[in-house]
Structure formats: C-alpha cells, structure tokens
Amino acid sequence: MLKRAKTWGPGVLLLAPTIILVGVFVYWLIIENFRVSLTNQHTAKPSNKYVGFENYTNLLADPNFQHSLWNLLILTIVFLGGTLIFGFLWAWLLEQPAKGEGFFRSVYLFPMSISFIASGVVWRWLLSSLQTTQPGGERTTGLNRLLDSVGLGFMQNDWWSNPTWGIAAIAVPAIWQLSGYVMALFLAGFRGIPDELREAARIDGCTEWKLYRHVIFPQLSPVMLSAIIIIGHMSLKLFDLIRAIVPDANTYDVQVPATMMWVKYIGSDYADAAAIGMILLVLVAIVVIPYLMYTSRAEKR
Amino acid sequence: MKSDSKRTTKRRINRTLKYAILIFFVIIVLLPAYVLFITSFKGTADADPSRAWYLPQVWETGGWVKAWETLAPSLGRTVLLVVPSALVSAFLGSINGYVLSKWRFPGANIVFTLILFGMFIPYQAVMIPLTQLVSNLGIPQGIPSLMLLHIVYGLPICTLIFRNYYASVPDELIEAARMDGAGILRTYGSVIFPVSAPGFVVVLIWQFTSAWNDYLFAAFFSSGRNGPVTIALSFLAGGQLTDYAASMAGALIASVPTLIVYILLGKYFVGGLMSGSVKG
C-alpha cells in the first residue's frame, strides 16, 4: 500500500494546483452561485435573506424569460443544424485528396479565428432590415439587397427584428463562423477511417452508397456526437454575438438567458442573475454529464 | 472500352461539380470579409448599409487611422494578457495530461472527468460570485484579473488535449525511464516534454485565440480604459452614431493576430484534430 502511494503520490502532488483551482473556481463558485440565487439580493445593497426557490419560480413564470428560453431552443436547433450540414458537406467534398485542399480548408476555417465581436460588426450590417430611401431606388440594405439583386428577392426578410423567428437570423453568422470547425472535426473523422476498410468493402462489391451507409457513417458517429456537444453548449452560452449585432442588450426579439443574465447583472439584480446562471448550468449539465459518463466508460472498454 | 470512357466522363463531371460547389462556398464564406474590407476604405457618406456591396467611390484611409488610434492602447494590453496566460495554462495542461495518462492513480478517471466538466460549464453560472471572489482576492480589474481567469478556465481543455495527445506516446518509453530510476519530473523533462511540440501547437493556438477573442470575461472584469481589444472594439462599433468605416477597419485590426495564427499554423491545428488530440 505504502509502495503504491509512493508511486502515485507525486502525480497527485503535480495535479494538486489544478485540482484546487478547478475546485474553487468551478465547483465552489457553483455552490456559491446557487446560494446567491436563493436570496433576495436584488439590489446593489447587500442582502442575504433566504427566499428559497422564489427567484426560480418568478423567472419561470416571467413571459420575458419564457421567451428567452424559446429563443434559445430555436437558436440551438438552427445553429446545430446549419453547422452540421455545412461542416459535413465540406468535409465530404474534401475527404478524397483534392487539388487545393489546403486553400479550401483554410478559407472555410478562417471565420473561426475571428471574435464574435469583430464579425458582429459586419453581420450587424448584413442582417439589417433597414429600408432607406435613396435616389436611384436603393431602398434595401445588407443581405436583403444582395438577395434582391441576384433575383432571390422573395427571401428578403426582417432578419432578427421578429419576436418569434428573429433569433434564427442570429444563427446565420454563428453558422458562418463555426461550420469550418465542424468540417475540421469531420475531416479528422474521415481520415481516421483506415483505407483497408474501404478497400475491403469495395472488393466485397459494396456500392459507394453502401460503403458510406455501412462503413463510413457508423465510424463518424462519435465525431458527430462531439460536434453536437461542442456546438450545443456553445449555443447555450452565446452572448457576445448577440451583443455585437443587436445594439440594445435588452431587445425582446433576440433575448436569450445569457443576455438576460447580463441585463440583470447590470441592473444589480444579483439573485436573478445567479438564478439564470443556474438554469443555464442545468441545461448544459443535462446534455454534458451523460456525454462525459459515456466517453469515460467507452474509454475503459 | 466504351463503358470505360463513359466512366471517365462521369468522373470528370463529378469532379467539375465538386469544384463548382467548393468555389461557390468559398465565395459565400468570403462575402462578409469582402464587405468588411471595402467598407473600411470608404468615406463617411459612402459607408452606408445600402451601398454595402459596392466598391468605394473614393478609397480613403480615414477609418483605418481612427480605428488604429482607438484600438492601439488596447492591443498592447491584449498581447500582455494573451501570451502569458496561454503559456501558463498550456504548461500546466501538459503536466496534468502527463500525470493523467502516464502516471495514473486510483480515481484518476473521476478527477479527469471533474476537471473536464469545467470546460463545459456556462461561465454565467459562476459569474456573480466570481466577481466577488476576484475583488476579495485583491486582484486589480482589467488585465491582471483576466489573466488569472483565462489560465484557470483554460486548464480543462489544455488538460484534455494533452491527455489525449500523450495517450499516443508509447508506455514503454515511460517504463524505460522509470527503470533507469527517473522520477516523475525527470521522466517528464527527458521523455515527454521533448515530444510535446505538436500538442503545444494545438493548445497554444486554441488558448491564444480564445483569450484574444473573449468578450464575456472582458465585459464583466474590465472597463474601456483597462479592457482588452474586444472591449475597445465594442465601444468603437456599438455607439448610436457609428462611424462604419472605422468600426469595420477596427474589426479587421482586431482580427489580424488570430488570422495570422490560423493562416500560419492552421495546418497543424487541423493536423492536431486529426491525430485525435482534440476530441472535444
């Protein structure tokens, strides 16, 4: 026993700083945050009276918050769908060694390197539904104008200025930015499939479609799962892109819990801000904890 | 013979189609960059959303001058923030990954999973007490507190990437070093660290980009005067009477460092993904 402790003791010691830092900055702060969310700390003046789950019930009954949850759902579905479709398509097109592969890959990947704050500057313009009257009949702006000029005028819309579906417009730049990352993940997945496997399937007389259906797609499903988890949890946290595109943080049309939390924080409503944080955490945990358990179990096998 | 030529024709059509689609998407992806670029060279009247797609009537650099003047102080601060925090979290992550893959102890998997969860938490769920904690620790707002936060919250992903990367280092190498009587640190120094370069490239790219691009922590822990470049840019671009040329020039200036990193090292990044060092 002592001998074993001697072999793993130094390891634990080396890990100690990280364990302490993560323990304090992640787990202890989550507990602290939970505690604040149970108090009536709604102004800058310190106040620690426990009110139980009152803040949660009030939030969940608040139509504004309900709307922010709806927005979050739409955002996540569109963001996930879009990045998976484009990411997979690009990876599939580039899967077989192609001329200029490096160029295409770099172009598709480059938006990922840019901050949401920087890309928000231009997307705020492109997604503008502004109608200006200018000499020469140039009324529409941004993407609407482009769609109009290539004959897709029917696709013009108000983008984010719509209370029900406006949030889907916010997903457009998010898709633009992260499809390349999903492509890189899928490319890694494709390249991880041994050539012998394909050869064997071809020799067995597999058609290309059957090869994909029975050999390649099943091999890609772990990559797909990773992509869903990464994009999904990014979507729940998405804050800066909305702040960059929509000038007013408290805009009902595109309010999500993360932006609402910021508004509450600015207004010194710490208890509500903490409660919104907890709700986001629960939403993330529902998805991530089973995933972490699944991957750690899959590794053992 | 006939069916052969048919097949080559078919293949040629397929290939043309493939490149047509690839190029189509290149244009789509580059469109926003095009608008950013041309607008940044426009004069005030010309920089109007209705003229977004047209080239400047006169190429002007006023926007760039104004953007540079506004952003310059924050750029220096951001470098000061990003470089040390990326290096420290990468180094700690490398040590962690080494211990967790090669020097395992009972419960190592549970500890790893608990660390990993820190990567997924929405920071909103710790932000309120975090502001309190950082001020109680007496760490000044702005760059110093942001540096601490980027190191701490970067640890999970750095640990993950290195742990997966070191999994591909043969255990025999470690065993051999141990046989020779090398301790945990000597083994790290003589066996693990020398082969770590690809792992460091991926982690440093990742940490550099995410700290450079961070806005959430920056918004909570700094103000305009001591904030990093994302904060300065949001002030430049967020006002009521926005100077569009300047804000677009600013967005380009703020993106140059991460763009350079991706253009120069993007190959290694994708390579790192492919060798399975980033599983997510």
Side-chain angles (χ1 to χ4, degrees):
Chain A
M1 188 63 204
L2 202 71
K3 203 175 153 208
R4 269 183 52 207
K6 230 172 154 185
T7 57
W8 51 256
V12 177
L13 214 64
L14 279 181
L15 220 50
T18 301
I19 294 176
I20 292 166
L21 284 174
V22 171
V24 169
F25 281 85
V26 174
Y27 293 95
W28 184 68
L29 284 183
I30 288 175
I31 294 167
E32 263 302 290
N33 189 65
F34 184 54
R35 189 188 65 73
V36 176
S37 76
L38 299 178
T39 67
N40 67 344
Q41 173 82 51
H42 293 299
T43 57
K45 244 194 285 164
S47 155
N48 270 324
K49 189 169 162 280
Y50 277 83
V51 293
F53 283 88
E54 198 183 285
N55 298 322
Y56 291 90
T57 49
N58 285 346
L59 269 176
L60 291 171
D62 176 4
N64 277 332
F65 188 69
Q66 288 170 3
H67 184 250
S68 79
L69 288 175
W70 159 264
N71 275 344
L72 186 60
L73 179 72
I74 303 292
L75 177 68
T76 307
I77 293 172
V78 179
F79 185 15
L80 252 179
T83 47
L84 286 177
I85 290 170
F86 291 119
F88 179 80
L89 178 67
W90 297 344
W92 180 62
L93 289 170
L94 292 175
E95 177 226 343
Q96 305 292 339
K99 241 192 221 139
E101 184 201 327
F103 166 76
F104 291 115
R105 216 174 46 197
S106 308
V107 170
Y108 296 155
L109 204 59
F110 102 87
M112 190 198 170
S113 68
I114 292 169
S115 71
F116 280 130
I117 293 294
S119 72
V121 170
V122 69
W123 282 101
R124 187 175 179 178
W125 247 34
L126 298 182
L127 299 180
S128 154
S129 59
L130 215 67
Q131 302 266 324
T132 55
T133 337
Q134 288 222 330
E138 294 175 0
R139 295 178 305 107
T140 46
T141 58
L143 273 188
N144 280 350
R145 175 146 191 85
L146 184 71
L147 290 173
D148 195 34
S149 57
V150 295
L152 292 170
F154 65 93
M155 280 177 71
Q156 292 188 15
N157 66 73
D158 287 339
W159 302 111
W160 55 265
S161 324
N162 172 312
T164 316
W165 304 107
I167 191 72
I170 299 291
V172 172
I175 294 168
W176 174 75
Q177 220 150 349
L178 282 149
S179 293
Y181 179 59
V182 175
M183 170 200 73
L185 287 174
F186 273 121
L187 261 181
F190 274 119
R191 299 281 153 85
I193 301 169
D195 280 341
E196 300 85 65
L197 217 57
R198 296 173 192 241
E199 290 305 314
R202 286 209 181 99
I203 288 166
D204 286 352
C206 254
T207 60
E208 280 298 297
W209 165 241
K210 272 193 176 153
L211 175 72
Y212 274 97
R213 174 89 218 292
H214 296 292
V215 179
I216 295 179
F217 288 153
Q219 298 264 341
L220 288 179
S221 52
V223 177
M224 173 113 157
L225 187 63
S226 302
I228 290 173
I229 297 288
I230 293 168
I231 300 295
H233 102 280
M234 281 188 73
S235 165
L236 292 176
K237 302 198 280 198
L238 202 66
F239 163 78
D240 26 11
L241 184 62
I242 301 174
R243 288 273 295 145
I245 292 179
V246 184
D248 177 11
N250 204 8
T251 303
Y252 178 80
D253 291 340
V254 291
Q255 188 83 280
V256 292
T259 54
M260 197 165 171
M261 189 261 174
W262 170 256
V263 173
K264 296 276 189 189
Y265 170 78
I266 292 291
S268 300
D269 189 341
Y270 299 124
D272 273 14
I276 294 174
M278 286 314 290
I279 292 171
L280 273 177
L281 179 69
V282 169
L283 290 176
V284 169
I286 290 173
V287 188
V288 167
I289 288 178
Y291 171 74
L292 289 179
M293 282 164 64
Y294 163 80
T295 45
S296 99
R297 208 173 304 149
E299 240 169 55
K300 258 183 218 150
R301 253 189 279 126
Chain B
M1 274 314 265
K2 208 177 169 192
S3 80
D4 248 18
S5 75
K6 233 186 209 164
R7 207 175 295 150
T8 27
T9 324
K10 203 178 152 202
R11 201 174 291 159
R12 199 169 295 153
I13 292 171
N14 273 345
R15 199 193 299 150
T16 315
L17 194 68
K18 179 165 118 175
Y19 280 102
I21 299 172
L22 284 170
I23 289 164
F24 170 75
F25 279 113
V26 164
I27 294 169
I28 298 277
V29 170
L30 289 180
L31 269 181
Y34 162 78
V35 172
L36 261 179
F37 187 75
I38 58 161
T39 310
S40 72
F41 286 104
K42 286 181 178 178
T44 326
D46 198 11
D48 182 275
S50 67
R51 302 189 42 81
W53 307 99
Y54 301 123
L55 289 172
Q57 287 164 332
V58 186
W59 291 75
E60 291 184 25
T61 51
W64 282 86
V65 173
K66 187 181 169 195
W68 176 255
E69 278 166 1
T70 318
L71 295 188
S74 69
L75 285 170
R77 279 196 295 269
T78 315
V79 173
L80 226 58
L81 159 70
V82 165
V83 173
S85 53
L87 286 173
V88 172
S89 51
F91 182 69
L92 284 173
S94 150
I95 297 272
N96 294 340
Y98 161 60
V99 173
L100 286 168
S101 64
K102 298 295 180 212
W103 215 276
R104 299 171 59 79
F105 51 89
N109 256 346
I110 296 168
V111 170
F112 175 62
T113 308
L114 286 173
I115 294 175
L116 208 50
F117 186 61
M119 183 178 133
F120 291 103
I121 61 157
Y123 300 126
Q124 283 87 359
V126 292
M127 207 55 99
I128 298 294
L130 184 61
T131 53
Q132 196 63 48
L133 175 67
V134 170
S135 88
N136 285 349
L137 288 172
I139 301 165
Q141 281 248 320
I143 303 312
S145 56
L146 289 175
M147 198 182 289
L148 171 76
L149 298 177
H150 286 306
I151 291 172
V152 171
Y153 292 107
L155 285 175
I157 183 140
C158 294
T159 305
L160 167 76
I161 292 173
F162 275 113
R163 180 179 172 276
N164 290 343
Y165 176 70
Y166 291 144
S168 65
V169 176
D171 285 340
E172 290 76 32
L173 282 179
I174 311 287
E175 288 301 323
R178 271 199 206 182
M179 289 293 189
D180 290 345
I184 189 164
L185 282 176
R186 280 260 313 276
T187 313
Y188 176 79
S190 59
V191 179
I192 293 291
F193 187 74
V195 299
S196 299
F200 270 102
V201 171
V202 177
V203 164
L204 288 173
I205 294 174
W206 189 276
Q207 284 300 98
F208 180 88
T209 329
S210 65
W212 188 280
N213 288 342
D214 162 70
Y215 178 74
L216 182 67
F217 283 125
F220 275 88
F221 291 92
S222 67
S223 62
R225 257 181 302 153
N226 58 18
V229 66
T230 45
I231 295 289
L233 180 60
S234 74
F235 279 119
L236 180 66
Q240 286 290 336
L241 281 167
T242 306
D243 180 339
Y244 289 122
S247 62
M248 305 241 174
L252 288 168
I253 292 172
S255 308
V256 164
T258 48
L259 262 178
I260 290 176
V261 166
Y262 265 69
I263 290 169
L264 291 183
L265 302 172
K267 198 169 62 182
Y268 300 101
F269 181 72
V270 179
L273 286 174
M274 284 177 187
S275 70
S277 58
V278 182
K279 276 197 277 187

Tab-separated table of all heavy atoms in Angstrom, chain A residues 42 94 167-168:
chain	number	residue	atom	x	y	z
A	42	HIS	N	-31.536	41.581	-4.666
A	42	HIS	CA	-31.994	42.129	-5.946
A	42	HIS	C	-31.482	43.541	-6.215
A	42	HIS	O	-31.782	44.117	-7.253
A	42	HIS	CB	-33.521	42.132	-6.008
A	42	HIS	CG	-34.102	40.756	-6.034
A	42	HIS	ND1	-33.843	39.841	-7.024
A	42	HIS	CD2	-34.909	40.121	-5.151
A	42	HIS	CE1	-34.478	38.707	-6.775
A	42	HIS	NE2	-35.128	38.840	-5.637
A	94	LEU	N	-14.066	17.398	-49.381
A	94	LEU	CA	-12.608	17.458	-49.292
A	94	LEU	C	-11.998	16.149	-48.821
A	94	LEU	O	-10.781	16.031	-48.703
A	94	LEU	CB	-12.192	18.585	-48.339
A	94	LEU	CG	-12.491	19.995	-48.820
A	94	LEU	CD1	-12.142	21.011	-47.736
A	94	LEU	CD2	-11.708	20.315	-50.083
A	167	ILE	N	-34.546	35.214	-33.865
A	167	ILE	CA	-33.332	34.636	-33.288
A	167	ILE	C	-32.632	33.715	-34.289
A	167	ILE	O	-31.411	33.561	-34.247
A	167	ILE	CB	-33.665	33.882	-31.983
A	167	ILE	CG1	-32.408	33.507	-31.213
A	167	ILE	CG2	-34.503	32.641	-32.261
A	167	ILE	CD1	-31.703	34.645	-30.552
A	168	ALA	N	-33.401	33.142	-35.208
A	168	ALA	CA	-32.785	32.265	-36.205
A	168	ALA	C	-31.783	33.038	-37.057
A	168	ALA	O	-30.792	32.476	-37.532
A	168	ALA	CB	-33.857	31.624	-37.080
